[in-house]
Amino acid sequence: MKALWYLRKTIWKNQIKKALKRPTTYLFLVLGIFYIGIIVAGIGTVAATFQFDSAYGFVILMTIWSFYMIPANFVSYAGRKGIIFRPCQAHFVFTAPISPKRILLDTAALNLGLSIVGGIVMSVIGVWVFHLPIWRAALMFLLCFVLEMVLECSLIIIVYGSDRFADGKFKRWGIFIKGILIVSAIFFLWYFKENGISLKSAAELIEHPVFRLLPVVGWDISAFRLVILGPDRLNVIGTVLYLGLIILLTLMAIRIKNTGAYYEDAAKFADDYQELRNRSKRGETGYSLGKKKKFRTVKGNFGGGAKAIFYRQLLEYKKERFFIFDSMTLICVVLAGVLAKMMDRRKKECRGWL
């Protein structure tokens, strides 16, 4: 364990030293703080405008957060792409007499750190914007975010560490989860078409028993509803199921045998990841881990002098099918359109409803 901690500490120390030597680090740090401030202020403005800066409004925000984060994490873990292995691990850690489970947990440290930061930010938003008592925000952080990390750690050990899933059979679960998301999206479109796009219809959807008892996501929603709004029958049932799932996966992760069969795939992932970073440093875009993308044929001239840097980057973007846009752009456009329509047509109807 000391060797893993030394390696992790050395990696962080070297990354910080390199970052502090680059002037762009300070610029991105200022922009990042400014961006977070804008998001928090924007959430507060929207909540005050529609008068749902209350505990129930925070439930709506947390519901959106859960539906965005949990399925995405499960899909990435099912495809064995949820955690990042580095070449230094393949060279120094995999060959050391260290438990493969400990190596997995150490590698997932970055994911867990981001989850903790996200949980702290959401708790601060709950207290500052939605006026939650501090003890409720703290209890929600412990019950939802800490237990969610335990769930993710158990799932990582089962998916990556189990020799039974070494042949990629667990990827079928990723396809299954994607299918559930597609069916859910179709259902949401039909529901809003029948009931109209408004905060009231969205709140009625959130209160639906089927919605609140969806496996994993719905159970997680029931857990923080129990903390924020208090107990009711569905909240208690969903929370008990959520805790039961966490206990079951934790026991499976503890008892499962691991011989390090994932080392070969992890070493290949580390090489691909390093190559991707090298391409990114050279300004080459459109590459992803483990996939060979097809590009368009483009023509252009790099020019001379400083213009060569700009036009070379521009040509890289032109190779993409949709230039600088991707699937996330389409999702953001659709969500922006829905929100704009809600704010334009239903603002007067929704005032004072929550």
Side-chain angles (χ1 to χ4, degrees):
M1 198 66 183
K2 292 182 179 180
L4 289 177
W5 170 243
Y6 173 80
L7 179 62
R8 181 63 53 189
K9 181 179 66 175
T10 304
I11 292 174
W12 287 343
K13 181 175 66 175
N14 292 338
Q15 289 178 342
I16 292 174
K17 286 182 178 180
K18 290 181 181 179
L20 293 177
K21 293 179 181 179
R22 294 194 297 264
T24 53
T25 300
Y26 303 96
L27 176 62
F28 288 143
L29 180 62
V30 173
L31 292 177
I33 296 174
F34 180 70
Y35 180 70
I36 293 175
I38 289 178
I39 291 178
V40 175
I43 292 174
T45 301
V46 173
T49 300
F50 289 102
Q51 297 181 2
F52 70 100
D53 50 344
S54 60
Y56 192 80
F58 188 66
V59 167
I60 296 176
L61 178 63
M62 285 295 298
T63 301
I64 297 173
W65 171 273
S66 297
F67 261 87
Y68 177 76
M69 293 300 298
I70 294 179
N73 289 341
F74 273 49
V75 170
S76 62
Y77 292 145
R80 286 193 168 189
K81 296 180 181 179
I83 57 178
I84 297 175
F85 296 94
R86 298 179 182 273
C88 60
Q89 291 174 297
H91 295 156
F92 300 108
V93 178
F94 292 167
T95 56
I98 303 175
S99 170
K101 293 182 181 180
R102 289 186 177 181
I103 295 176
L104 285 173
L105 294 179
D106 174 75
T107 309
L110 178 60
N111 300 45
L112 303 181
L114 294 176
S115 298
I116 292 175
V117 173
I120 293 173
V121 171
M122 294 301 292
S123 300
V124 171
I125 291 175
V127 174
W128 186 13
V129 177
F130 295 93
H131 314 296
L132 286 182
I134 296 178
W135 70 270
R136 282 190 182 272
L139 183 59
M140 183 201 68
F141 177 80
L142 292 174
L143 182 60
C144 300
F145 292 101
V146 174
L147 289 180
E148 184 179 334
M149 286 190 293
V150 175
L151 175 64
E152 288 189 14
C153 288
S154 302
L155 189 63
I156 288 172
I157 292 176
I158 293 172
V159 174
Y160 286 82
S162 174
D163 296 340
R164 290 188 302 170
F165 299 129
D167 297 331
K169 296 179 180 179
F170 211 83
K171 292 183 179 180
R172 299 173 184 174
W173 286 103
I175 299 174
F176 177 72
I177 295 172
K178 291 180 181 179
I180 293 178
L181 294 178
I182 293 174
V183 173
S184 300
I186 295 174
F187 172 74
F188 292 157
L189 291 175
W190 171 83
Y191 177 86
F192 285 118
K193 181 180 178 182
E194 294 294 324
N195 299 277
I197 300 176
S198 66
L199 286 177
K200 183 177 180 180
S201 60
E204 291 175 351
L205 175 63
I206 292 175
E207 293 294 331
H208 199 281
V210 175
F211 181 88
R212 292 166 59 182
L213 292 179
L214 286 174
V216 187
V217 182
W219 302 344
D220 180 65
I221 293 172
S222 297
F224 64 71
R225 285 177 65 99
L226 177 65
V227 175
I228 298 172
L229 299 180
D232 64 25
R233 185 176 60 180
L234 291 178
N235 290 348
V236 173
I237 293 175
T239 303
V240 171
L241 292 173
Y242 188 58
L243 294 175
L245 176 65
I246 293 174
I247 294 173
L248 176 62
L249 291 182
T250 302
L251 293 177
M252 288 178 61
I254 293 174
R255 299 189 58 175
I256 199 170
K257 293 183 179 180
N258 189 301
T259 60
Y262 68 90
Y263 285 170
E264 183 177 354
D265 292 338
K268 179 64 169 60
F269 180 96
D271 293 336
D272 293 341
Y273 177 74
Q274 188 62 40
E275 179 64 22
L276 185 65
R277 292 189 63 187
N278 294 336
R279 289 180 182 273
S280 177
K281 291 179 181 179
R282 295 194 297 265
E284 300 178 12
T285 61
Y287 295 92
S288 58
L289 288 170
K291 293 183 179 180
K292 294 183 178 179
K293 295 186 65 174
K294 295 182 180 181
F295 299 100
R296 296 188 303 171
T297 302
V298 296
K299 296 181 180 180
N301 185 9
F302 287 140
K307 293 192 298 182
I309 300 176
F310 172 77
Y311 283 106
R312 183 179 184 277
Q313 191 71 37
L314 183 62
L315 286 175
E316 288 291 333
Y317 282 121
K318 285 184 177 179
K319 292 179 182 179
E320 292 286 331
R321 294 179 60 188
F322 303 106
F323 193 49
I324 61 174
F325 306 108
D326 55 13
S327 57
M328 183 56 65
T329 306
L330 178 61
I331 294 175
C332 291
V333 169
V334 173
L335 289 177
V338 172
L339 290 175
K341 189 174 181 180
M342 290 171 60
M343 295 177 70
D344 182 56
R345 297 180 56 186
R346 305 290 182 177
K347 183 176 180 180
K348 293 183 180 179
E349 298 179 9
C350 294
R351 276 189 180 276
W353 182 76
L354 297 174

